[in-house]
């Protein structure tokens, strides 16, 4: 059953969140990373929906959810929002899959906000310092300069940045869907806002808690990932007792778009175990 769009809304502590669910069976929640949206999960969500009730959402400040001046979109804020959303859905112990920043949001909600999961899959998660690519860190250090770019230069920058997350190359329609939310009057400042608020202290608060994770955990990553280097993800996996590891060859940071079939197979195997 294909996802037709995020048709539902939830008013979170950080603004209106758009979400959708599809399929039947045990609940699986998919969390996107930055600077992406739930769109990256569409193909995987459709595949999983034959066996699961799949939940998709755009975090506040991303995709089709609310973007507003002064909005708090940090990891700390998103972890709290995710806990609120799980309560809104009435999900007591869902299976959770988080990519990139979404992996860190899932970890924070579980470790610091008391969200309960039955299983947790992390795909190239932002969980250990230093965060992100060299470009991400450069923009974070000079946000006040980048946010004043003329719209055409901003558009070109975002396109190049998003494209660099793939090792196999993104289709034109995929690039368009990933870039579009950041090109509006609200989207351009929102793009730099989420980078400006990327505080590595929020993962440092969790680092010593990773060995305390007491649930089945799968850690996946792209072998050609230039944003979150494979050795950093392997280090995270080594810190989590009993974590399963699944490197996926020939893929970059956007594993869902570079190799959706391989990633789906790994998730199905894990979620059905």
């Amino acid at each position: 059953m294909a996802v037709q769009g995020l048709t539902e809304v939830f008013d979170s502590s950080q603004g209106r969140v758009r979400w959708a669910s599809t399929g039947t069976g045990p609940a699986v929640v998919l969390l996107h990373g930055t600077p992406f949206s739930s769109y990256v999960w569409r193909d995987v969500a459709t595949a999983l929906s034959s066996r699961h009730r799949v939940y998709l959402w755009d975090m506040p400040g991303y995709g089709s959810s609310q973007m507003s001046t002064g909005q708090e979109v940090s990891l700390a804020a998103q972890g709290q929002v995710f806990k609120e959303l799980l309560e809104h859905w009435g999900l007591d112990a869902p299976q959770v899959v988080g990519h990139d920043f979404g992996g860190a949001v899932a970890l924070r909600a579980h470790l610091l906000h008391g969200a309960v999961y039955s299983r947790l899959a992390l795909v190239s998660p932002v969980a250990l310092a230093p965060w992100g690519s060299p470009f991400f860190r450069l923009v974070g250090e000079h946000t006040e300069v980048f946010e004043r770019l003329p719209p055409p230069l901003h558009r070109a920058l975002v396109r190049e940045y998003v494209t660099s997350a793939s090792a196999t190359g993104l289709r034109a329609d995929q690039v368009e869907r990933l870039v579009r939310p950041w090109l509006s009057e609200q989207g351009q400042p929102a793009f730099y806002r989420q980078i400006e608020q990327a505080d590595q202290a929020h993962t440092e608060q969790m680092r010593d808690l990773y060995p305390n994770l007491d649930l089945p955990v799968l850690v996946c990553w792209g072998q050609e990932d230039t944003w979150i280097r494979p050795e950093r993800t392997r280090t995270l996996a080594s810190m989590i007792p009993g974590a399963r590891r699944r490197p996926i060859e020939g893929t970059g940071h956007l594993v869902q778009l570079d190799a959706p079939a391989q990633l789906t197979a790994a998730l199905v195997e894990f979620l059905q175990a």
Side-chain angles (χ1 to χ4, degrees):
M1 183 183 301
V3 179
Q4 299 301 320
L6 303 185
T7 57
E8 305 293 332
V9 296
F10 168 67
D11 289 321
S12 78
S13 58
Q14 301 302 330
R16 180 157 291 186
V17 169
R18 299 195 69 87
W19 65 275
S21 62
T22 183
T24 57
V28 175
V29 184
L30 306 178
L31 290 83
H32 67 81
T34 180
F36 311 115
S37 68
S38 59
Y39 169 76
V40 299
W41 284 117
R42 292 303 176 91
D43 290 343
V44 174
T46 298
L48 292 178
S49 67
S50 64
R51 301 185 181 188
H52 299 274
R53 185 70 177 177
V54 181
Y55 291 78
L56 291 166
W57 62 296
D58 286 349
M59 297 181 196
Y62 292 80
S64 59
S65 288
Q66 181 177 339
M67 299 177 177
S68 56
T69 302
Q71 187 176 30
E72 178 64 46
V73 295
S74 69
L75 173 56
Q78 302 289 6
Q80 178 59 41
V81 168
F82 185 43
K83 178 68 182 312
E84 296 169 8
L85 194 55
L86 291 174
E87 293 173 351
H88 173 70
W89 288 332
L91 301 180
D92 295 326
Q95 300 175 98
V96 173
V97 183
H99 172 245
D100 182 79
F101 183 71
V105 171
L107 284 166
R108 190 172 178 94
H110 178 68
L111 292 170
L112 298 181
H113 296 292
V116 178
Y117 317 142
S118 59
R119 290 176 179 272
L120 175 62
L122 302 168
V123 183
S124 298
V126 177
L128 297 172
W131 283 20
S133 65
F135 170 79
F136 182 91
R137 294 191 291 274
L138 175 67
V139 174
E141 293 167 2
H142 304 283
T143 304
E144 71 286 353
V145 175
F146 283 94
E147 65 186 6
R148 294 199 297 269
L149 287 175
L153 291 181
H154 166 73
R155 183 185 306 111
L157 180 151
V158 176
R159 286 180 63 88
E160 289 300 315
Y161 180 45
V162 165
T163 301
S164 72
S166 169
T168 62
L170 300 174
R171 301 191 312 265
D173 63 301
Q174 292 174 326
V175 176
E176 167 63 21
R177 287 293 301 271
L178 293 172
V179 169
R180 185 190 307 161
W182 304 118
L183 303 185
S184 69
E185 184 178 349
Q186 296 78 28
Q188 180 165 340
F191 177 81
Y192 298 105
R193 185 181 304 120
Q194 50 90 20
I195 296 178
E196 183 180 26
Q197 294 184 25
D199 189 345
Q200 295 180 167
H202 292 146
T203 49
E204 289 302 295
Q205 292 170 349
M206 299 188 293
R207 183 186 178 102
D208 291 343
L209 300 178
Y210 295 152
N212 297 338
L213 285 166
D214 186 20
L215 76 168
V217 176
L218 171 69
V219 182
C220 296
W221 65 91
Q223 288 282 58
E224 308 301 323
D225 192 336
T226 60
W227 284 27
I228 306 294
R229 295 288 182 180
E231 56 269 22
R232 207 182 316 162
T233 309
R234 286 194 294 267
T235 297
L236 172 67
S238 71
M239 299 170 68
I240 301 173
R244 304 184 188 187
R245 309 181 190 192
R246 181 64 68 89
I248 301 181
E249 295 184 3
T251 63
H253 189 62
L254 279 173
V255 182
Q256 310 97 312
L257 300 183
D258 281 359
Q262 292 93 315
L263 179 59
T264 299
L267 291 176
V268 167
E269 179 183 355
F270 175 67
L271 297 174
Q272 297 297 319

